[in-house]
Amino acid sequence: MPVTAEDLSVPAAELTIVGHYDKAPGYATRRPTGSPSWLLLWTEAGAGLVEQGGASAPARAGDLVVLGSGVPQHYRVLPGEERWRFWWVHFQPRPSWGAWLGPYALADGCHLVGGVPAGVHERIGLAFRRALQDARWVPETPVAPVAPTPAVVVAGPARELVLGAVEEVLVLATASARPQGARRTEEGDERVRRVVALIAAEPGAPHSVASLARAVALSPSRLAHLFAAETGRTPMQAVREARVRHAASLLEVTDLDVGQVAAASGFVSPFHFSRAFKREYGLPPRDYRARLRGG
């Protein structure tokens, strides 16, 4: 029987907890010393108000908020709203996730991935529902349908399944939303979203501006213009970032050597890969892996 966590206001650092709330006005959580774990909040309906590290931001439907550990935090139903329906996960992040969230930082440990396109909402919701079901997984034991439990503490191998779902949510949200300062143009919304989805689905593919433009029936120059207006970066910058993120995941969870990781991630050479990786993560791939493994 899984342990519920309705009243666990300050989870222990080692715990992974996944839950779903639909709260009325008056709901609030305040942690004056912060939480020892990270917290992810995905709003489905209504709105909340999240404060951390000197930042205050509304979390509306289609907004993903990620709060780092150890920083005072306060979140509640946004004044004037009738409800706040949201998924939440307490977790310890994988090292590569910091680079994905960096462009969306508002303040110390506070990240807002705002306005995630509606086209990926269903898939994000499915990832959370799968996480709640996987939280109950035990090897060689059938998993019962998800019950209306507000929160479940995850233990054993199921933790890795839940973290996989969290990673899927982070990739979908950060790859398709726009960092602060990027401008949205109505004409390009759907086509740019499709290009972002193509890059996220297969970062190691031999993408070019021309190939991505053909996939959405645009000229390369038109795609480059729309993509920059939507996301604040060029298509190939987005490809490089996706490839580096993918490479970081491979370094974390496989024993592939650096050359194999470079090839699997779409880089033309280990040297090119190492240079791009160090620019993003601050150290070469071998050192990154050694640090993860305590070497």
Side-chain angles (χ1 to χ4, degrees):
M1 186 77 176
V3 179
T4 61
E6 174 72 23
D7 299 319
L8 194 57
S9 61
V10 184
E14 67 273 12
L15 293 181
T16 298
I17 312 172
V18 58
H20 183 265
Y21 282 167
D22 193 346
K23 295 294 188 179
Y27 165 77
T29 295
R30 185 188 297 273
R31 299 187 178 101
T33 59
S35 170
S37 58
W38 284 51
L39 174 63
L40 179 151
L41 304 163
W42 166 254
T43 299
E44 292 185 314
L49 181 63
V50 180
E51 298 175 351
Q52 177 163 310
S56 178
R60 305 184 187 278
D63 289 347
L64 180 72
V65 175
V66 181
L67 303 177
S69 59
V71 182
Q73 59 189 215
H74 181 205
Y75 52 91
R76 58 198 183 277
V77 176
L78 182 70
E81 290 287 331
E82 297 180 357
R83 68 191 304 195
W84 185 19
R85 191 176 80 222
F86 62 100
W87 286 94
W88 56 271
V89 186
H90 280 281
F91 64 99
Q92 290 298 333
R94 292 171 175 164
S96 59
W97 296 355
W100 308 353
L101 291 167
Y104 300 93
L106 299 181
D108 187 10
C110 183
H111 309 84
L112 173 63
V113 187
V116 176
V120 299
H121 288 192
E122 181 178 1
R123 185 168 173 183
I124 287 176
L126 287 172
F128 279 116
R129 288 193 288 276
R130 189 177 72 247
L132 189 56
Q133 184 163 336
D134 285 343
R136 298 167 165 81
W137 183 77
V138 177
E140 300 181 5
T141 301
V143 178
V146 174
T149 306
V152 177
V153 177
V154 190
R159 182 181 291 111
E160 292 304 313
L161 294 175
V162 171
L163 287 178
V166 171
E167 183 167 81
E168 180 180 350
V169 169
L170 289 174
V171 169
L172 290 168
T174 58
S176 60
R178 296 166 298 125
Q180 294 291 318
R183 181 171 54 88
R184 178 172 294 282
T185 60
E186 293 301 323
E187 179 184 359
D189 281 3
E190 180 58 31
R191 289 170 291 189
V192 170
R193 284 198 294 269
R194 286 168 57 196
V195 169
V196 168
L198 286 171
I199 295 170
E202 200 173 359
H207 297 302
S208 66
V209 178
S211 69
L212 293 170
R214 283 195 300 271
V216 292
L218 288 172
S219 70
S221 60
R222 185 61 177 156
L223 172 63
H225 172 77
L226 292 175
F227 199 93
E230 287 282 323
T231 70
R233 56 194 173 180
T234 70
M236 295 314 294
Q237 284 174 330
V239 169
R240 185 176 64 249
E241 291 168 6
R243 287 174 174 170
V244 170
R245 290 195 298 263
H246 180 63
S249 295
L250 292 178
L251 290 168
E252 291 172 35
V253 302
T254 77
D255 291 321
L256 296 174
D257 64 37
V258 169
Q260 291 170 320
V261 170
S265 304
F267 289 94
V268 297
S269 71
F271 173 77
H272 181 214
F273 164 53
S274 295
R275 187 171 59 182
F277 193 92
K278 184 175 181 179
R279 183 164 55 243
E280 188 72 30
Y281 286 94
L283 69 170
R286 285 189 179 86
D287 294 347
Y288 177 84
R289 173 179 272 169
R291 189 179 68 177
L292 290 178
R293 300 181 180 184

